[in-house]
Amino acid sequence: MLIKLTGGKVYDPANGIDGKQQDIYIQDGRIVNKPGLDVQIDQEYNLKGKVVMSGAIDMHTHIGGGKGNIARTLLPEDHRADPVARTAITRSGCGHAMPSTFVTGYRYAEMGYTAGFEPAVLPVNARQAHMEMGDIPILDKGGYVMLGSDDYLLRLLTAKKDQKAVNDYVAWTLNAAKAIGVKVVNAGGINAFKFNQRKLDLDEKNAHYEVTPRQILQTLATAVKELGIPHPLHVHGCNLGVPGNVETTLDTIQGIGGLPMHLTHIQFHSYGTEGDFKFSSGAARIAEAVNKHKNITIDVGQVLFGQTVTASGDNMRQHANHKLANPNKWVCMDIECDAGCGVVPFKYRDQNFVNALQWAIGLETFLLVDDPWRIFLTTDHPNGAPFTSYPHLIRLLMDKSFRNEMLATLHPEAQKMTTLASINREYTLNEIAIMTRAGAAKLIGLEDRGGLGAGNWGDITVYTENADRQLMFEKPDYVFKNGELVVKDGKVVKVTWGTTHIVKPDWDTAIEKDLQKYFDRYLTMKLGNFKISDDEITEDGRGSLTAHPLRNGV
Amino acid sequence: MSALTFTLKNRPDQRVDMSPLVCQKLAGLTPAEIGALELQSGKRKVRVDALFNIAGADAQNMVIKNSFGKLDFIGKALHGGSIAVEGDAGAYLGLGMAGGTIHVSGNAGIFAACEMKEGMITIAGDVEDFLGAALPGNKMGMKGGTVLIKGNAGERVGDHMRRGTILIEGDAGDYCGSRMTAGTIAVMGQTGKYLGYAMRRGTLLLWRAPHLSARFNDCGAHTLAFLPILFASFRQLNSRFADPALAFNRVRRFGGDLSEMGRGEVLVKM
């Protein structure tokens, strides 16, 4: 099957193409060079005047894992208010802030997204996360495995084991949990919470293990680098949401000593303590530091107004915020003695000073960081807003007058505390394509996604140019997944199943002896059951695994 | 103008979602247009005129004849007008109702007057569990209005109730007034176990001595001046609650639930 996409205006930053009119050919799922004149074209789409990009990639979205189901159980009203009927090809579902798996896949695809990555896969719950993501149609998916508050790692650090022991454990866990990256959530803080610590600064010791978050971050970032894992250590920093945490974040950037590190939902970590309300924007300082330190990448975690639910492994900070729950109900729990979880429903309101300033801080960050290859478009779905608000966010970034009109309606004190109105930058289509496609694929280490060059998989989104960028990005004309047309005019026309992206670093098998003892003595699961086999992902006939190469692999 | 009357032709096997048939949604529609509306029944959609014979034109005065216990969501979000149900009503009668009146000549199912905001619901027969409660998972039940039950009520009357009045001439089941935040529930008959379970505020007014848990404190006997005023407000009702002979102002007061805020009260006629 040879498909020709004719005459579209192509934005393919992976190959340095910025709005050039050119044809794209797809053969058997992959993009190919222009075939010879004698080759017959099986299907042609006339894309004259349309905008062509590769399929978008959400590099941080909570779409799998136990906390999603806790949020669903906690918020039946979220589901009652947003029912989705079945069609001949799609299944029914529901949910605005935390939609059901099937609806998640359809809605992402209908916005032109072809991949999403779950950033908080607890190793002990990884099976459930993969099963849940296995029920998300169309999208490719993958997970970052959560380490840093697990007792085994903290024991290694307390016992002053060498870096190699940690590397082996990290590599072993990545393989066992079938992940593509490593995530740290409030390094050591989830564990410290269980020893009755209610906050943990970067250099504060865990009361039991006497390990500091800084040590954990350095050790894990080193492990990720030495193992050759393409995705840098994915860090949800200390002191999320605490006024003044901008200092912690800057210190974290400094302290990692040049190692690659991704700071996620940085908006929640960019708060100062100035002004009458002792809450101010630290976005400018963060952006300056990010611009200076080329080893740092960030995603924003933009807040957008409305009802949502925050779901995080950071039970320390979620517990601290539970009084803000709206509606007033919340869950904080331990997970299998190995991690934690907090779910707090939230309603961001534009007439609330803090919420309005959070909104502005996120946008300031977007606009003040120069290099779109190192900043990514997220709302930390569903924590800042549901992923369905991305087109609105893109319009805010691309349309200064729209942005300033919205700003003018916010809490007046918040308006005084932000420099947003004076920032003239408007994102270009090419920059949006970098943030949501080429950059994301590069950051995660996806070999053959995120670009439109020959050899890439045919994940392609086609939009109609529209000055209202929200309308443009809400409803793509066509979305192709692996060369198959899955969405037409913003509606799913075919349901396919994506692959699960992983990495497979090597490890010394000798560590399983010690792990075996540890599992038998302390954990709720046997070591043999902890490891997920390939069959579990693929045996339903829909799922598949795609392993990506390591960088200067060990 | 005669009342807009829906007469059920025969009883469908599956439950029917009646929420499209409320006064405000039918105003200005011709009988043919109303007949063409679709109701969800089980997994199918059924035209209104396939289920009902339609007569009359006054959408502010609706009558549902031959009604039975599988007609759910009657009067959902009603905000004005009246609905008379001749027969039984299904679940979620008057869900989120914001005004108007509903009268049921028979019994009603679970979650009647659920999250009701204003208006009047009268049920001549019995009502099942969760009268005036919140939808599962929600934090606020009935927020206003009056519900009058001439028969008995099931369990969990007024669960998460926030405001308004529930009057029960017969008995109430277990967990009456559970998790109440505020409001008034008056029961002339017996009450069941776990009365006022986890209630925070609000008033339970009882004619007969209840089984109270240890989490309620006896606060002694009182003559309360507000009770005659409360009973006077019932005078207009077609109910035993309007009977001055059954009114009283001398009560024994119990405070609880002490495992919660403990500012709820159970007032028992002496």
Side-chain angles (χ1 to χ4, degrees):
Chain A
M1 179 81 171
L2 182 65
I3 301 169
K4 183 183 181 191
L5 308 181
T6 312
K9 204 170 163 194
V10 175
Y11 291 87
D12 180 18
N15 295 294
I17 296 166
D18 178 5
K20 196 173 123 199
Q21 188 175 334
Q22 65 178 44
D23 301 337
I24 293 172
Y25 299 87
I26 311 168
Q27 172 112 51
D28 303 330
R30 287 200 190 246
I31 297 167
V32 292
N33 287 319
K34 185 177 181 178
L37 288 173
D38 51 332
V39 182
Q40 196 205 322
I41 308 282
D42 296 303
Q43 193 158 17
E44 185 174 351
Y45 294 87
N46 184 0
L47 304 184
K48 278 227 165 60
K50 310 272 186 202
V51 170
V52 182
M53 296 183 183
S54 67
I57 297 167
D58 195 343
M59 48 69 64
H60 185 111
T61 172
H62 295 277
I63 53 174
K67 63 205 169 308
N69 282 337
I70 294 169
R72 292 179 183 119
T73 315
L74 186 68
L75 294 169
E77 62 267 42
D78 181 53
H79 289 182
R80 278 195 288 262
D82 192 10
V84 178
R86 65 184 274 268
T87 70
I89 55 162
T90 60
R91 291 178 56 164
S92 62
C94 54
H96 165 72
M98 186 53 93
S100 58
T101 50
F102 286 90
V103 171
T104 300
Y106 305 144
R107 283 188 183 157
Y108 258 120
E110 287 174 350
M111 278 186 343
Y113 275 73
T114 53
F117 289 81
E118 161 60 48
V121 176
L122 309 177
V124 78
N125 261 356
R127 181 168 283 107
Q128 195 273 340
H130 281 299
M131 296 299 116
E132 198 174 347
M133 288 194 281
D135 266 349
I136 296 178
I138 303 174
L139 293 194
D140 283 358
K141 45 254 166 179
Y144 313 138
V145 78
M146 219 166 107
L147 289 170
S149 276
D150 51 314
D151 291 272
Y152 191 82
L153 179 79
L154 296 174
R155 278 160 187 260
L156 288 180
L157 295 179
T158 308
K160 306 234 181 312
K161 293 278 173 134
D162 58 7
Q163 182 71 39
K164 184 175 171 303
V166 174
N167 293 1
D168 283 334
Y169 172 61
V170 170
W172 179 85
T173 311
L174 270 162
N175 279 277
K178 298 255 179 290
I180 194 164
V182 181
K183 163 99 175 286
V184 183
V185 173
N186 189 355
I190 303 169
N191 186 282
F193 186 80
K194 299 178 198 178
F195 295 101
N196 292 327
Q197 285 168 287
R198 291 294 173 263
K199 70 171 214 20
L200 195 68
D201 276 325
L202 196 57
D203 290 310
E204 199 170 336
K205 282 183 175 171
N206 178 309
H208 179 74
Y209 289 106
E210 307 214 314
V211 176
T212 66
R214 188 189 295 272
Q215 259 178 292
I216 296 170
L217 291 176
Q218 272 169 347
T219 312
L220 284 175
T222 307
V224 167
K225 178 147 192 270
E226 290 186 0
L227 289 169
I229 298 162
H231 186 47
L233 185 66
H234 196 100
V235 177
H236 157 144
C238 312
N239 292 333
L240 178 141
V242 180
N245 61 11
V246 59
E247 304 299 339
T248 317
T249 310
L250 292 171
D251 203 2
T252 309
I253 293 173
Q254 283 289 341
I256 205 68
L259 289 165
M261 178 168 66
H262 179 83
L263 290 169
T264 190
H265 42 71
I266 199 152
Q267 178 274 128
F268 291 106
H269 303 270
S270 305
Y271 304 148
T273 51
E274 289 155 29
D276 295 342
F277 299 97
K278 303 281 174 246
F279 182 78
S280 60
S281 169
R285 292 172 68 200
I286 294 287
E288 191 193 345
V290 172
N291 288 337
K292 199 169 106 200
H293 294 89
K294 306 291 181 206
N295 57 318
I296 301 295
T297 53
I298 61 171
D299 68 85
V300 172
Q302 176 68 32
V303 158
L304 295 164
F305 304 115
Q307 178 71 54
T308 192
V309 56
T310 65
S312 171
D314 191 348
N315 56 359
M316 179 183 270
R317 293 305 311 152
Q318 291 292 73
H319 178 264
N321 286 333
H322 78 259
K323 290 205 168 109
L324 303 172
N326 183 355
N328 180 18
K329 47 188 174 180
W330 54 281
V331 174
C332 266
M333 63 188 288
D334 169 72
I335 295 184
E336 310 275 329
C337 304
D338 210 31
C341 170
V343 177
V344 182
F346 226 87
K347 195 170 195 171
Y348 293 103
R349 292 180 300 124
D350 56 0
Q351 295 313 313
N352 172 297
F353 168 74
V354 172
N355 296 164
L357 196 53
Q358 285 179 305
W359 178 89
I361 292 169
L363 292 176
E364 283 178 15
T365 312
F366 271 116
L367 298 167
L368 294 173
V369 170
D370 300 331
D371 182 0
W373 290 92
R374 292 196 289 118
I375 183 167
F376 301 93
L377 185 139
T378 66
T379 57
D380 190 18
H381 164 78
N383 294 332
F387 65 82
T388 40
S389 51
Y390 285 168
H392 173 75
L393 176 54
I394 291 174
R395 184 171 181 205
L396 287 170
L397 297 177
M398 295 190 71
D399 185 342
K400 176 176 180 262
S401 54
F402 175 66
R403 183 164 73 223
N404 285 344
E405 271 167 38
M406 261 206 82
L407 176 65
T409 64
L410 304 191
H411 190 286
E413 293 302 319
Q415 290 183 45
K416 286 183 210 157
M417 294 291 288
T418 173
T419 56
L420 193 59
S422 65
I423 305 176
N424 288 318
R425 182 171 174 195
E426 289 181 334
Y427 268 78
T428 64
L429 281 175
N430 195 50
E431 286 173 322
I432 295 291
I434 294 171
M435 271 207 296
T436 56
R437 274 98 172 159
K442 185 178 162 208
L443 178 81
I444 301 166
L446 303 177
E447 262 192 305
D448 41 18
R449 308 267 173 187
L452 296 172
N456 273 284
W457 282 101
D459 294 355
I460 299 171
T461 305
V462 179
Y463 304 99
T464 300
E465 178 86 50
N466 188 333
D468 183 335
R469 299 305 187 188
Q470 184 169 345
L471 291 178
M472 172 175 168
F473 281 92
E474 255 168 14
K475 201 177 160 201
D477 296 69
Y478 302 105
V479 179
F480 297 87
K481 179 81 189 76
N482 288 4
E484 285 188 271
L485 183 68
V486 290
V487 170
K488 195 177 171 196
D489 296 330
K491 282 281 158 239
V492 170
V493 292
K494 178 162 195 203
V495 176
T496 63
W497 295 92
T499 188
T500 299
H501 296 283
I502 55 169
V503 287
K504 290 176 153 180
D506 278 333
W507 76 96
D508 183 349
T509 47
I511 67 152
E512 274 204 14
K513 247 174 85 184
D514 190 47
L515 277 165
Q516 179 82 55
K517 273 189 268 171
Y518 174 77
F519 270 72
D520 288 344
R521 174 85 172 79
Y522 296 109
L523 285 194
T524 52
M525 199 186 268
K526 293 288 175 209
L527 180 93
N529 296 337
F530 184 86
K531 293 190 282 190
I532 299 172
S533 74
D534 292 4
D535 292 347
E536 293 181 62
I537 308 276
T538 59
E539 70 190 352
D540 62 1
R542 305 189 306 212
S544 60
L545 287 163
T546 304
H548 289 274
L550 300 168
R551 293 207 176 122
N552 356 297
V554 180
Chain B
M1 224 168 18
S2 58
L4 178 59
T5 307
F6 297 89
T7 309
L8 188 67
K9 294 179 187 171
N10 40 41
R11 297 183 169 189
D13 290 335
Q14 301 298 330
R15 308 189 76 84
V16 181
D17 178 351
M18 296 283 284
S19 57
L21 301 185
V22 288
C23 304
Q24 71 265 18
K25 286 188 184 171
L26 301 181
L29 296 187
T30 65
E33 285 170 326
I34 294 172
L37 293 174
E38 287 189 317
L39 303 177
Q40 190 77 35
S41 174
K43 63 178 182 177
R44 298 208 161 72
K45 285 198 188 293
V46 188
R47 278 171 63 104
V48 171
D49 53 15
L51 278 176
F52 297 97
N53 289 319
I54 305 167
D58 182 6
Q60 286 300 302
N61 280 301
M62 276 177 54
V63 180
I64 301 172
K65 288 190 172 171
N66 294 347
S67 183
F68 79 122
K70 283 184 180 173
L71 301 188
D72 296 339
F73 299 104
I74 293 174
K76 179 176 170 184
L78 180 74
H79 58 70
S82 80
I83 300 177
V85 180
E86 298 184 4
D88 295 343
Y92 300 102
L93 174 78
L95 170 66
M97 169 173 168
T101 60
I102 298 177
H103 182 276
V104 180
S105 69
N107 303 325
I110 54 169
F111 285 101
C114 172
E115 301 189 6
M116 173 181 182
K117 298 185 190 79
E118 227 183 285
M120 172 84 200
I121 295 180
T122 312
I123 296 166
D126 298 339
V127 63
E128 288 180 40
D129 299 347
F130 290 100
L131 171 67
L135 282 169
N138 285 12
K139 296 278 286 180
M140 269 197 245
M142 185 168 160
K143 296 179 193 73
T146 305
V147 180
L148 172 63
I149 312 295
K150 300 211 172 188
N152 302 324
E155 296 180 6
R156 293 274 188 182
V157 171
D159 186 43
H160 276 312
M161 182 173 175
R162 187 76 180 76
R163 206 172 292 132
T165 311
I166 296 178
L167 305 173
I168 301 167
E169 292 187 13
D171 302 337
D174 296 345
Y175 293 97
C176 179
S178 61
R179 303 189 283 185
M180 255 175 106
T181 311
T184 304
I185 302 174
V187 184
M188 284 188 166
Q190 302 277 5
T191 47
K193 287 180 278 190
Y194 309 112
L195 184 81
Y197 178 87
M199 77 187 281
R200 296 160 67 79
R201 289 190 303 269
T203 302
L204 298 175
L205 186 63
L206 307 180
W207 271 252
R208 300 197 196 178
H211 297 284
L212 271 177
S213 79
R215 298 188 309 271
F216 281 81
N217 263 353
D218 188 345
C219 309
H222 299 265
T223 302
L224 297 179
F226 91 90
L227 283 173
I229 302 170
L230 182 71
F231 283 113
S233 74
F234 299 153
R235 228 26 82 68
Q236 306 305 318
L237 300 173
N238 169 26
S239 164
R240 290 169 63 205
F241 282 94
D243 182 356
L246 291 173
F248 52 86
N249 64 355
R250 183 82 182 148
V251 292
R252 182 164 285 276
R253 184 177 184 278
F254 299 87
D257 178 331
L258 295 171
S259 65
E260 269 291 344
M261 194 187 270
R263 282 160 60 191
E265 60 178 5
V266 178
L267 304 179
V268 184
K269 181 187 174 192
M270 287 185 75

